[in-house]
Each structure stands twice: as structure tokens, then as C-alpha cells.
């Protein structure tokens, strides 16, 4: 290889990889996937009830309950009058593009500039049936220098395709939580895109317990330097359940940070968890720092965890970049230590699983959720780990 | 009343080359009020003996018996052994992420006693036990052994020993890696435990220095998976002067 060739190779402006998704609003650009595509290869298409193909998205089998702190507004706005697209979301897959097409209104949550509140804004989406498929669009805007928490909770039964946009304006600090607590028959595919302003902070939390298939695609870009994204995920995949989290942090500005930690437990025949952690460090993104981590705890036989971290670096002028992924069973030495202190086996396993999630729950740091999360972990444990008690 | 009786104990582990016998017929009786020191060179099987008594799954008992007050210990699960009154202070205590020391201690105490300790006195007891080994009470909120120094881990073992108050304590190289101050603190903890009444102590050590602080009634020299020689405290003095050479060469 001559020096010139090498130089050319290093100066390629565009690399062919799925870390550079070309979005499009035109449905024709998103053919029906067959399952071999990089972005679809882990997803059980047959169980999507046609969300990825041509199923009509005109259902209304859901209701929404909203509880907002004073000052925060939440209203349903016709698409034409909405600020849809404010985050820069451009559909990168067919489900997202179809939901975009099908949506007639946008639910807009607006946190005013310099707002500060401890009480979270909560949106509760309750699915009331799986026979008809529905589409939704949520836009959350955190005004400049505001500090707030938004929790979106999903329960009930639904076949649901959704786009979520998150705009964190300059200097704002937003904690955005999605809690997938669906009934066993729900199918939910959601594309989330966040734009993080200059010196803004986004704590993005994805908690997934319920549903038959839950696929959450989350991407973040930076509108200016100094932005920070912390993405935390906690999931429990049960028998036959498919839970997929796909993350893409696009470091589009210098001095930005991203820290991703996803932890999950799997139990029961056919439980399947997928975690894709993509990070792209653009040439302009000097001085950035990124770390991605995924840990899976396999509690029984018959489960599968797929964990794929990808890191693409276009500049070497960075503070740090790394990732880690580990999937394992119970640590025998931990169990022996606890049991050697008189703690019965099932109780020891319970302690270890709670311990596995505890640090993460502490990091989520939304007091109103903490108790619920611990209780849900306990309820999940009761299905297998504590049966012996 | 507590008597731990080990008779003709044979133990093997699985290796790449098939099973390997580590303990080759161990006989040992520890009565209450007695402190026994087991001393031996590296690889003699001392730790295997400790873990076999506690029931670690890696060690397979092929023959022999271990009884506590006549009850078959080998038939018990690991946690049943602890609840029957056995305690193993480990050479390398295990880290348990996300589980606080205070939650761990309370869960263990509840398991051993069969009922939850009274909240008000319990917190006091935990703090006092930590104070006695000069461990900051802030350790109660930290995760079990996570980020603890070697000495802190050993002190934490002694805190457990005092709070769980077993009948027989097996201390596996509790002295290793300790500086002289920590060694004294840990030894004092073991001595307090002994003074509590009819307790048996099995002290496994490579070095003689801990025997300056914890006086053994009996010393057993362990070589090649067996007790090679037994005696009183004077045997430890001989080992301090001459080392293990005499025993190792005799065994070859």
C-alpha cells in the first residue's frame, strides 16, 4: 500500500456501515424487511402483526392519562399545527416511517424555559386491545435551563407503532423515562430520537418488563458542544418474550459525553433479549467521552441474550471511548459466600439479582419509581428464582 | 456443648487430568473451648479442609465423615451447615455487588436465628461490632466487600463472626496479608469470640505469627493431605525455628 492510497483510505468522507443510517420520510425508501437486514436480524418479524409490513395503523384501542406538574403543558395537536420533526427525527426503518405517515396528531409535552420541578410529568398509555394496530407520536421539549422529569408508562394490550422525539434545549436537564409494563400480548415498536443542546443533559431511562415483543430504538445527536447523554436500561425478559433495545449515540459535536448502561435478566424458555449499542464519533466531535455497557444475567436454561456493541471513530482526538458486554449465570462464589452465612439458596439468589439491579436503580434516581422497580424485580423473581422457597 | 469431629476424610477435586485427591484421610476432633491450629506448607490441603467442612461444591468428599455434636454435617447443604453452627472466615471473601453490608448482615442473622433481629438493638450491635475491629460504620452502607482492602475484608469477616456467633469457627488464613495492627485487631476479635463460652476454633495458617496473639491448645502439622504430627503450642515454636522442612522431606 502506497502512502497515497493509505492517506486516501483514511480520508474517506463516508464509510459504508449501518452506523450511518440514511433516514427517509418516503415509505418507498423502506421496503418490507425480510429478516436478514442488519437492523432486523434479531427481531421476530412474524410476531409483529404486520407493523413492519402493511397492517393498517388506524386503530384507537388505547387511552391516555396525563398527570402534569403545574407549568408543564401536555396537549394533542394536529400534525399540521405541531412542531413535529423538531428533534431532527427522520425515520430509519419502515415501522417508524409508517407511523409517521399514519399519525394524525402529535402529543406535545412542553417544559417551559427555566422550569424546575421535582414532581415528574407522567403520561400513561393504556392499550385496550391488540386486534387493531395504532400509531402514535410524542414530542417532549425541555426549554432552556429547565430541570424536569418525564415518565411515560405503557400498560395493557396493544399493537403499537410509535415515534418519540425529545428536544433538550441549551442548558436544560431532562430525565426521560419509558416504562414498558405491557400485558403479555402487547407488541410495541418505538423509535426515539433526542437532540441534546449545548451544555444540556439528558438522562434517558428505558425499563422493559412486559409485552410479547418490545423493540425500542433510541438515537441521540448533539446540537452543540458540552451536551451529555446518560442512557440507562433495565429489563427482565420472561418465557417467550422478546425485548430489544437498540441505541445509537451520534457524537455530532465536540466535548460531548455519552454513558450507556443496560442491565437485564432473562428467565424461561424462549426469553430473548437484544441489546445493540452503536456509537459514532464524527470527525468534528473532538474531546468527547463515551462508554457503553451491557450486562445480562441468565437465570434459567432456554434463554438467549444477544449483545452487540459497535464503536466507529472518525477522530482520535477524544477523551475516551470504550464498551463492555457480559452475559453470565449466577456467580457460584457469590452464592457460596452468602449461603455459608446461613442464607438459604433461593434467598441468596434473590439477593444477588436485586444486587445486580440495585446500582442501576439508584442511578435512575427517580424516587417515585424506585419502590415500584424494586417491587417489580421481586415479582419477576417470584416466577422462577423463588419458586424453590 | 459443641464437638466437631472429622474422621478419615478423603476429598478430591476435578482437574483437567481427572480427579485429584487432596485430603487423604484427615482425623481431627475439636471440642468446645478448644483452639486448634492447623499449620502446613502451601498446597498441603489446609484450605481444602476448610472449604470441605463448609460444603463448597468444588470439593467432593469421597469417604469419611464430619459431624457436629454427632449430627452428619456432610448431608447438610452449605446454608444448613451455617445454621447448625459452623462458620468459615474466608481467605478471600467474595464481593457481592449491589448488596449492602447492612442488608447482608441482617439477612444472615435472620437466617441463623430463624427470626429477624430487633431493629433497635441490632443497629447498635452492628455498629459496636464494627467499632471493635476499628471499621468505620459507613461500611454498613457499602456493597459487600466491594472495593474493600484486604485488611477491611478480614475485619468484615470478624464482624460477621461476632454477630452470627457460631459454635465452631474455621478461620482460613485469616492472618494472610495483614499488617501487624490489623493482625492484632483480628486476633482480638477471635479471642473475644472464644471468651463467649463453649466455642471451638480451627485456625488454619501458614505462618506462626498469629499464634502469638491467639493461643492454640493443639497444633497439627498438615502435610500432603494428612495430619503429619500433633502436639501442643510448643510444636508451633519448633516450626517457627525450623520451618516445615522436616515434615516435607519425611513425606516424600
Amino acid at each position: 500500500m502506497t502512502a497515497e492510497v493509505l492517506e486516501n483510505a483514511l480520508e474517506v468522507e463516508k464509510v459504508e456501515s449501518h452506523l450511518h443510517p440514511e433516514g427517509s420520510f418516503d415509505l418507498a425508501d423502506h421496503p418490507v424487511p425480510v429478516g436478514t437486514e442488519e437492523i432486523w436480524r434479531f427481531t421476530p418479524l412474524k410476531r409483529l402483526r404486520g407493523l413492519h409490513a402493511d397492517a393498517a395503523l388506524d386503530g384507537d384501542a388505547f387511552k391516555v392519562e396525563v398527570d402534569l406538574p403545574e407549568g408543564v403543558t401536555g396537549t394533542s395537536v394536529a400534525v399540521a399545527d405541531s412542531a413535529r420533526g423538531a428533534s431532527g427525527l427522520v425515520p430509519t426503518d419502515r415501522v417508524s416511517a409508517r407511523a409517521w405517515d399514519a399519525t394524525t396528531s402529535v402529543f406535545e409535552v412542553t417544559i417551559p424555559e427555566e422550569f424546575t420541578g421535582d414532581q415528574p410529568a407522567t403520561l400513561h398509555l393504556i392499550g385496550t386491545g391488540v386486534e387493531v394496530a395504532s400509531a402514535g407520536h410524542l414530542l417532549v421539549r425541555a426549554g432552556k435551563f429547565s430541570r424536569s422529569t418525564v415518565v411515560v408508562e405503557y400498560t395493557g394490550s396493544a399493537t403499537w407503532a410509535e415515534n418519540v422525539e425529545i428536544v433538550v434545549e441549551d442548558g436544560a436537564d431532562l430525565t426521560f423515562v419509558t416504562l414498558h409494563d405491557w400485558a403479555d400480548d402487547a407488541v410495541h415498536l418505538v423509535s426515539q430520537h433526542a437532540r441534546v443542546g449545548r451544555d444540556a443533559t439528558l438522562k434517558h431511562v428505558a425499563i422493559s418488563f412486559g409485552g410479547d415483543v418490545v423493540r425500542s430504538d433510541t438515537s441521540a445527536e448533539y446540537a452543540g458542544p458540552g451536551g451529555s447523554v446518560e442512557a440507562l436500561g433495565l429489563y427482565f425478559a420472561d418465557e417467550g418474550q422478546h425485548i430489544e433495545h437498540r441505541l445509537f449515540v451520534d457524537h455530532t459535536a465536540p466535548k460531548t459525553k455519552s454513558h450507556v448502561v443496560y442491565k437485564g435478566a432473562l428467565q424461561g424458555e424462549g426469553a430473548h433479549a437484544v441489546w445493540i449499542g452503536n456509537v459514532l464519533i464524527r470527525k468534528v466531535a473532538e474531546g468527547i467521552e463515551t462508554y457503553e455497557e451491557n450486562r445480562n444475567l441468565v437465570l434459567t436454561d432456554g434463554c438467549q441474550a444477544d449483545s452487540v456493541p459497535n464503536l466507529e471513530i472518525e477522530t482520535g482526538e477524544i477523551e475516551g471511548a470504550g464498551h463492555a458486554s457480559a452475559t453470565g449465570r449466577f456467580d457460584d462464589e457469590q452464592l457460596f459466600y452468602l449461603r455459608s452465612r446461613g442464607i438459604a439458596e433461593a434467598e441468596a439468589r434473590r439477593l444477588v439479582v436485586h444486587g445486580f439491579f440495585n446500582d442501576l436503580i439508584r442511578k435512575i434516581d427517580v424516587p417515585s419509581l424506585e419502590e415500584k422497580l424494586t417491587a417489580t424485580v421481586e415479582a419477576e423473581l417470584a416466577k422462577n428464582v423463588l419458586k424453590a422457597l | 456443648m459443641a464437638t466437631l469431629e472429622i474422621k478419615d476424610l478423603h476429598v478430591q477435586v476435578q482437574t483437567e487430568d481427572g480427579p485429584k485427591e487432596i485430603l487423604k484421610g484427615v482425623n481431627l476432633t475439636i471440642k468446645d473451648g478448644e483452639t486448634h491450629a492447623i499449620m502446613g506448607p502451601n498446597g498441603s490441603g489446609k484450605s481444602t479442609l476448610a472449604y470441605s467442612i463448609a460444603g463448597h461444591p468444588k470439593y467432593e468428599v469421597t469417604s469419611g465423615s464430619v459431624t457436629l455434636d454427632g449430627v452428619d454435617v456432610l448431608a447438610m447443604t452449605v446454608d444448613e451447615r451455617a445454621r447448625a453452627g459452623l462458620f468459615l472466615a474466608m481467605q478471600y471473601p467474595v464481593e457481592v455487588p449491589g448488596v449492602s453490608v447492612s442488608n447482608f448482615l441482617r439477612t444472615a442473622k435472620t437466617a441463623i436465628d430463624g427470626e429477624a433481629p430487633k431493629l433497635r438493638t441490632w443497629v447498635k450491635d452492628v455498629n459496636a461490632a464494627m467499632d471493635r475491629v476499628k471499621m468505620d460504620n459507613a461500611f454498613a452502607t457499602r456493597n459487600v466487600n466491594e472495593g474493600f482492602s484486604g485488611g477491611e475484608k478480614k475485619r468484615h469477616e470478624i464482624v460477621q463472626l461476632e454477630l452470627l456467633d457460631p459454635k465452631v469457627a474455621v478461620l482460613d488464613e485469616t492472618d494472610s496479608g495483614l499488617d501487624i495492627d490489623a493482625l492484632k485487631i483480628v486476633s482480638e476479635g477471635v479471642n473475644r469470640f472464644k471468651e463467649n463460652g463453649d466455642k471451638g476454633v480451627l485456625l488454619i495458617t501458614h505462618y506462626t505469627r498469629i499464634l502469638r496473639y491467639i493461643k492454640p491448645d493443639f497444633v497439627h502439622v498438615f502435610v500432603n493431605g494428612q495430619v503429619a504430627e500433633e502436639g501442643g503450642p510448643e510444636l508451633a515454636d519448633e516450626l517457627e525455628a525450623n520451618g516445615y522442612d522436616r515434615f516435607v522431606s519425611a513425606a516424600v
Side-chain angles (χ1 to χ4, degrees):
Chain A
M1 191 185 276
T2 67
E4 195 185 345
V5 173
L6 182 65
E7 194 172 305
N8 286 344
L10 288 172
E11 290 302 315
V12 168
E13 282 302 315
K14 216 169 133 188
V15 182
E16 282 292 322
S17 93
H18 68 284
L19 290 190
H20 299 255
E22 287 281 325
S24 168
F25 293 104
D26 185 355
L27 193 55
D29 293 331
H30 302 283
V32 177
V34 295
T36 51
E37 299 81 359
E38 176 60 32
I39 62 166
W40 288 108
R41 64 188 177 106
F42 294 109
T43 314
L45 298 178
K46 281 181 186 153
R47 285 156 61 187
L48 301 188
R49 301 194 187 113
L51 284 181
H52 65 296
D54 299 298
L57 293 176
D58 54 357
D60 57 356
F62 63 90
K63 53 184 183 179
V64 181
E65 290 170 359
V66 180
D67 184 11
L68 304 172
E70 208 182 322
V72 174
T73 57
T75 43
S76 187
V77 183
V79 163
D81 303 324
S82 75
R84 188 165 81 156
S87 71
L89 185 151
V90 182
T92 55
D93 68 48
R94 184 173 172 87
V95 179
S96 173
R98 293 186 68 235
W100 185 280
D101 272 356
T103 314
T104 53
S105 64
V106 173
F107 198 85
E108 294 191 353
V109 175
T110 306
I111 295 123
E113 287 186 12
E114 301 192 20
F115 173 89
T116 302
D118 289 331
Q119 188 206 336
T122 56
L123 310 179
H124 185 182
L125 188 123
I126 304 147
T128 55
V130 299
E131 291 72 25
V132 289
S134 317
H137 195 110
L138 172 67
L139 169 62
V140 176
R141 301 173 70 139
K144 283 181 187 165
F145 307 110
S146 64
R147 186 187 168 84
S148 61
T149 299
V150 175
V151 177
V152 184
E153 188 177 356
Y154 302 94
T155 60
S157 300
T159 304
W160 186 245
E162 191 183 22
N163 287 306
V164 173
E165 295 188 79
I166 303 159
V167 179
V168 192
E169 293 181 354
D170 293 352
D173 181 337
L174 173 68
T175 297
F176 181 79
V177 182
T178 52
L179 178 59
H180 301 265
D181 202 6
W182 293 108
D184 287 344
D185 56 354
V187 172
H188 182 200
L189 273 68
V190 54
S191 285
Q192 302 189 32
H193 184 71
R195 175 177 280 173
V196 179
R198 184 187 176 99
D199 300 325
T201 301
L202 171 64
K203 188 196 279 186
H204 184 280
V205 182
I207 299 155
S208 304
F209 291 116
D212 177 47
V213 178
V214 171
R215 173 176 149 130
S216 173
D217 209 309
T218 302
S219 53
E221 63 176 282
Y222 300 84
S228 168
V229 173
E230 184 179 26
L232 306 173
L234 191 165
Y235 51 91
F236 225 114
D238 287 344
E239 189 175 350
Q241 217 180 359
H242 178 91
I243 293 183
E244 178 166 354
H245 294 103
R246 312 179 65 89
L247 290 119
F248 175 43
V249 180
D250 193 351
H251 279 277
T252 46
K255 299 274 182 193
T256 50
K257 282 185 184 171
S258 64
H259 194 123
V260 176
V261 184
Y262 269 61
K263 283 185 164 190
L266 297 89
Q267 58 180 357
E269 195 67 34
H272 189 197
V274 179
W275 179 84
I276 311 292
N278 292 334
V279 173
L280 170 60
I281 303 168
R282 305 254 182 191
K283 210 171 274 180
V284 64
E286 295 190 353
I288 69 103
E289 212 180 313
T290 176
Y291 193 78
E292 304 229 334
E293 181 183 348
N294 177 224
R295 304 209 177 270
N296 290 296
L297 185 57
V298 178
L299 302 179
T300 70
D301 288 338
C303 312
Q304 186 178 335
D306 289 295
S307 181
V308 188
N310 294 301
L311 184 56
E312 197 169 308
I313 304 178
E314 294 178 351
T315 175
E317 301 296 317
I318 58 171
E319 287 290 315
H323 55 224
S325 167
T327 297
R329 290 175 178 274
F330 277 109
D331 183 326
D332 287 340
E333 295 304 321
Q334 286 178 7
L335 291 179
F336 174 72
Y337 187 70
L338 295 171
R339 294 182 68 195
S340 77
R341 273 33 176 172
I343 300 168
E345 186 174 3
E347 179 70 8
R349 287 175 185 271
R350 188 181 154 266
L351 273 179
V352 169
V353 175
H354 274 291
F356 177 72
F357 286 121
N358 269 349
D359 286 349
L360 190 66
I361 291 174
R362 253 177 255 150
K363 269 191 195 153
I364 292 170
D365 195 29
V366 178
S368 58
L369 276 180
E370 215 158 288
E371 210 170 298
K372 184 186 170 78
L373 291 181
T374 307
T376 308
V377 169
E378 184 69 27
E380 290 286 342
L381 284 174
K383 291 176 187 169
N384 276 289
V385 177
L386 302 184
K387 261 186 193 160
L389 271 179
Chain B
M1 238 329 271
T3 302
L4 181 70
E5 199 168 8
I6 300 164
K7 277 188 187 159
D8 194 30
L9 188 67
H10 290 254
V11 171
Q12 65 180 25
V13 294
Q14 296 300 327
T15 71
E16 284 172 5
D17 308 323
K20 181 174 186 239
E21 187 169 58
I22 310 262
L23 299 188
K24 299 166 181 172
V26 177
N27 292 291
L28 199 60
T29 301
I30 299 157
K31 299 199 176 97
D32 51 51
E34 292 179 356
T35 297
H36 292 244
I38 289 192
M39 306 195 59
N42 291 328
S44 58
K46 304 187 300 286
S47 284
T48 298
L49 177 63
Y51 279 96
S52 300
I53 294 170
H56 194 288
K58 186 179 151 193
Y59 302 97
E60 188 189 335
V61 175
T62 50
S63 66
S65 69
V66 178
T67 57
L68 182 64
D69 296 334
V71 181
D72 184 4
V73 168
L74 299 178
M76 299 181 195
T77 64
V78 175
D79 44 289
E80 283 169 351
R81 295 178 196 205
R83 293 199 293 273
L86 290 173
F87 180 88
L88 170 62
M90 295 189 199
Q91 185 179 1
Y92 302 109
V94 181
E95 298 183 3
V96 191
V99 177
S100 72
V101 167
S102 104
N103 186 14
F104 165 63
L105 292 175
R106 196 179 58 244
T107 307
K109 183 68 175 170
T110 303
I112 298 280
D113 288 2
E115 58 177 356
K118 292 207 169 46
L119 197 61
R120 206 183 326 153
T121 50
W122 174 245
V123 174
K124 233 182 274 175
D125 290 347
V126 171
N127 287 342
M130 287 190 166
D131 288 343
R132 284 195 291 271
V133 296
K134 298 192 167 54
M135 227 178 145
D136 194 309
N137 291 351
F139 275 91
T141 60
R142 290 181 50 181
N143 292 336
V144 172
N145 294 324
E146 205 176 54
F148 288 22
S149 70
E152 286 160 355
K153 285 181 180 169
K154 298 297 174 64
R155 289 176 207 210
H156 182 214
E157 296 291 283
I158 299 303
V159 167
Q160 295 170 50
L161 172 68
E162 291 204 55
L163 289 172
L164 301 181
D165 196 31
K167 292 177 182 167
V168 177
V170 180
L171 306 163
D172 184 21
E173 305 216 14
T174 296
D175 52 330
S176 68
L178 293 183
D179 62 32
I180 194 73
D181 289 335
L183 181 65
K184 279 184 193 166
I185 288 168
V186 162
S187 301
E188 283 163 14
V190 176
N191 288 331
R192 275 194 302 275
F193 165 72
K194 284 167 63 176
E195 285 159 17
N196 267 348
D198 308 330
K199 307 294 185 183
V201 173
L202 181 58
L203 186 67
I204 292 172
T205 180
H206 181 77
Y207 304 102
T208 51
R209 62 175 188 154
I210 195 172
L211 303 183
R212 289 178 218 149
Y213 305 103
I214 304 174
K215 287 287 161 218
D217 303 300
F218 303 93
V219 174
H220 312 264
V221 181
F222 215 66
V223 179
N224 195 24
Q226 283 178 318
V227 175
E229 192 161 324
E230 293 173 301
E234 73 287 347
L235 188 52
D237 298 334
E238 192 212 318
L239 287 170
E240 176 144 28
N242 303 325
Y244 293 113
D245 287 353
R246 172 164 77 84
F247 303 100
V248 175
S249 46
V252 170

